[in-house]
Amino acid sequence: MRLLLVEDSPTLADALMASLAREGYSCDHAADGITATAFLDSNDYDLVVLDWMLPRREGIDVLREMRRK
């Protein structure tokens, strides 16, 4: 299962990425909405864990774009 974690807090993102990797998940990480959109445009994910309040582009805008596509 391939996951995209979109989280701007480095501490939280590192902890979540480590936990998910231990459980055998393949994860990519985006720290802002623009990077998240780029990942989503170039990869297929089974699950996206999306923070609402992000720099450069809010999580709700990323979600709207995902739904539109």
Side-chain angles (χ1 to χ4, degrees), residues 2-10 12-14 16-17 20 26-41 45 47-63 66:
R2 188 162 187 191
L3 310 177
L4 175 62
L5 173 64
V6 187
E7 173 57 57
D8 60 325
S9 166
L12 182 55
D14 289 345
L16 287 170
M17 291 287 289
L20 291 166
S26 173
C27 300
D28 292 327
H29 171 244
D32 61 68
I34 299 291
T35 305
T37 301
F39 271 114
L40 290 164
D41 286 344
Y45 293 99
L47 178 72
V48 177
V49 179
L50 180 62
D51 188 1
W52 254 183
M53 298 178 66
L54 296 167
R56 298 178 61 197
R57 186 173 189 197
E58 299 249 348
I60 190 68
D61 295 328
V62 174
L63 179 60
M66 288 171 56

